[in-house]
């Protein structure tokens, strides 16, 4: 299972949740798998997907699902401390852990070595941390966490690599923002 | 709030709240203790401390997307950690964040290492697309009104720098870093 297949499985469980997606290929893949106004594609600001999701979760009642990457979340490890402290019940942080910086050519990342992101999350006070390494565990895991009070961290262990033919997102930042804000307002 | 003469922190806080700013994050500075105390006591705002100013800009973006009016309380040195978030997130998606910034390295600074960033901050802000105004005294808090109105109308970030002169008397004890 690569990031693409994992993202597809997670999206099978998504109803009206707000989704925030990591920079680069992860957002491009999500756009191809299932574009919807409730998706916020973060096209810059590497590391801040979980923070955007946290701000959303603190500000309104809908559930928020964040797709982050192991490389990006490692750039913002403080996010675990803040999520642990704020403890928003409506936040699910999905970390796609392919042990690589995928968008820039799959250079090896820190989780290929000694970094244990699930351990970091737990040590920061996040009680619900689930590690998933089989594709068929994703849907039941997501269904469970979406039905329980969070915050939740779901770490999905993936292989590096991506399919051919995934392209740049054809809508610009303001369009992404405006349709997202309109759907949040309801 | 007290019935005696309001402190510079109270004046600033009331001013910002009057614009409907209702979501805050902060990283401490000795000059900001008073504002942070007011924030912690205010039941009508959403507030959390953050580990780093850059993380704060992400959180403020999420808050704005959900219809809030967000602000960060920070020291000018924190601006050095957030330029990419300013350009590629807040600037790119046009998120009007209000930045209340204590200006270390300004006149009266006792810590030499604060001076270089203190001197650079305004130019770095402007180069990264943030409108910036200095408020040297509570009498000039009208600049905050103008700046916030502009930011909300233009959907652009705005920063206010508060040098030592602003906080004089009430809030600052030089032993505190
Ligand atoms: C501040 C910053 N540094 C570096 C980059 C280049 N960059 C873009 S995406 C990325 C890799 C992200 O890796 P990860 O979060 O693990 O996601 P993956 O693509 O592997 O799914 C890097 C290094 C950037 N855009 N911004």
């Amino acid at each position: 299972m690569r990031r693409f297949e994992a993202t597809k499985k997670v999206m099978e469980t998504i109803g009206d949740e707000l989704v925030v997606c990591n920079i680069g290929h992860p957002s491009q893949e999500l756009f191809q798998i299932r574009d919807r106004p409730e998706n916020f594609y973060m096209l810059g600001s590497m590391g801040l997907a979980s923070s955007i999701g946290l701000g959303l979760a603190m500000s309104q009642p809908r559930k928020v699902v964040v797709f982050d990457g192991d490389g990006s979340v490692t750039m913002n490890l403080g996010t675990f401390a803040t999520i642990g402290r704020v403890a928003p019940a409506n936040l699910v942080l999905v970390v796609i852990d392919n042990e690589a910086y995928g968008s820039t050519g799959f250079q090896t990342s820190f989780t290929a070595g000694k970094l244990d992101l699930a351990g970091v999350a737990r040590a920061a006070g996040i009680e619900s941390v689930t590690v998933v390494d089989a594709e068929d565990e994703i849907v039941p895991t997501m269904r469970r966490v979406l039905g329980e009070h969070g915050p939740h961290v779901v770490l999905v262990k993936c292989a590096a690599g991506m399919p051919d033919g995934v392209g740049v997102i054809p809508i610009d930042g303001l369009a992404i923002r405006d349709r997202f804000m309109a759907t949040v307002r309801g | 709030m007290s019935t005696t003469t309001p402190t510079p922190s109270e004046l600033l806080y009331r001013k910002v709240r009057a614009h409907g700013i209702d979501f805050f994050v902060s990283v401490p500075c000795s000059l900001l203790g008073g504002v942070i105390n007011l924030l912690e006591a205010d039941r009508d705002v959403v507030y959390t401390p953050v580990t780093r100013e850059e993380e704060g800009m992400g959180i403020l973006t999420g808050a704005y997307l959900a219809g809030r009016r967000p602000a960060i309380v920070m020291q000018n040195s924190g601006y050095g950690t957030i330029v990419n978030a300013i350009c590629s997130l807040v600037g790119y998606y046009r998120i009007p964040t209000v930045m209340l910034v204590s200006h270390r390295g300004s006149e009266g600074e006792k810590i030499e290492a604060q001076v270089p960033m203190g001197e650079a901050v305004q130019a770095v802000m402007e180069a990264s697309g943030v409108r910036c105004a200095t408020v040297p005294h509570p009498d000039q808090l009208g600049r905050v009104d103008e700046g916030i109105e502009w930011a909300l109308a233009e959907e652009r970030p705005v920063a206010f720098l508060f040098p030592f002169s602003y906080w004089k008397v009430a809030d600052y004890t030089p032993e505190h870093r």
Side-chain angles (χ1 to χ4, degrees):
Chain A
M1 157 179 58
R2 300 166 298 179
R3 180 186 58 223
F4 188 89
E5 289 76 34
T7 304
K8 212 166 165 179
K9 284 288 176 200
V10 171
M11 287 310 288
E12 280 176 27
T13 69
I14 297 298
D16 71 348
E17 288 81 6
L18 303 174
V19 170
V20 178
C21 191
N22 189 25
I23 181 173
H25 292 151
S27 273
Q28 295 176 7
E29 289 182 352
L30 175 61
F31 183 89
Q32 181 165 320
I33 290 164
R34 187 173 157 208
D35 180 42
R36 56 205 267 284
E38 295 86 353
N39 291 356
F40 184 79
Y41 304 103
M42 184 190 75
L43 303 178
S45 62
M46 179 177 173
L48 298 188
S50 62
S51 304
I52 297 168
L54 176 57
L56 278 165
M58 290 170 73
S59 299
Q60 55 78 57
R62 253 154 95 174
K63 294 209 162 104
V64 179
V65 175
V66 177
F67 286 100
D68 213 335
D70 62 279
S72 294
V73 85
T74 300
M75 195 178 257
N76 183 17
L77 282 179
T79 195
F80 290 112
T82 311
I83 293 169
R85 179 188 167 111
V86 175
N90 56 342
L91 181 65
V92 180
L93 172 56
V94 178
V95 180
I96 302 289
D97 182 4
N98 55 12
E99 303 188 354
Y101 295 95
S103 287
T104 47
F106 294 99
Q107 297 85 1
T108 301
S109 71
F110 289 78
T111 52
K114 301 223 169 178
L115 178 62
D116 167 16
L117 287 174
V120 173
R122 287 191 194 101
I126 300 170
E127 282 165 29
S128 166
V129 179
T130 309
V131 179
V132 176
D133 50 19
E135 199 171 330
D136 60 8
E137 287 169 28
I138 292 178
V139 169
T141 300
M142 285 303 296
R143 293 237 155 91
R144 174 174 59 78
V145 299
L146 286 169
E148 290 171 2
H149 282 301
H152 305 280
V153 171
V154 177
L155 190 83
V156 185
K157 296 298 281 185
C158 292
M162 67 184 289
D164 293 332
V166 175
V168 171
I169 293 175
I171 47 178
D172 71 13
L174 273 188
I176 292 167
R177 184 198 75 162
D178 287 345
R179 64 182 204 159
F180 186 85
M181 288 181 77
T183 179
V184 176
R185 275 195 302 271
Chain B
M1 286 184 194
S2 66
T3 49
T4 53
T5 319
T7 63
S9 298
E10 286 168 336
L11 290 168
L12 165 58
Y13 192 65
R14 286 180 200 169
K15 176 66 73 188
V16 172
R17 290 283 290 121
H19 286 275
I21 306 295
D22 59 358
F23 188 107
F24 291 83
V25 300
S26 77
V27 178
C29 168
S30 57
L31 293 172
L32 298 170
V35 173
I36 292 172
N37 287 341
L38 291 166
L39 264 174
E40 284 175 344
D42 190 344
R43 294 276 153 260
D44 297 325
V45 299
V46 179
Y47 164 66
T48 183
V50 289
T51 62
R52 185 176 160 88
E53 294 80 358
E54 185 190 29
E55 178 200 14
M57 297 319 285
I59 295 173
L60 298 192
T61 297
Y64 184 73
L65 293 174
R68 295 271 181 178
R69 290 190 176 180
I72 185 168
V73 175
M74 58 183 265
Q75 182 177 109
N76 68 293
S77 51
Y79 199 79
T81 75
I82 63 178
V83 175
N84 183 54
I86 293 290
C87 294
S88 71
L89 183 64
V90 163
Y92 178 65
Y93 291 97
R94 304 208 33 184
I95 309 296
T97 51
V98 173
M99 311 171 78
L100 307 174
V101 185
S102 61
H103 194 175
R104 301 299 301 267
S106 61
E107 181 80 35
E109 178 60 72
K110 296 195 169 56
I111 314 292
E112 251 181 41
Q114 290 276 13
V115 174
M117 190 65 208
E119 287 175 349
V121 67
Q122 184 159 351
V124 177
M125 282 177 169
E126 283 166 359
S128 45
V130 173
R131 171 166 154 164
C132 169
T134 292
V135 185
H137 188 276
D139 290 348
Q140 273 106 46
L141 277 171
R143 293 178 189 175
V144 172
D145 292 320
E146 284 162 34
I148 293 179
E149 280 160 20
W150 174 86
L152 293 173
E154 297 294 318
E155 299 187 298
R156 294 283 181 198
V158 68
F160 304 105
L161 289 169
F162 298 91
F164 281 100
S165 61
Y166 179 85
W167 309 97
K168 240 177 209 156
V169 219
D171 288 19
Y172 184 63
T173 26
E175 311 81 75
H176 294 158
R177 302 286 137 91

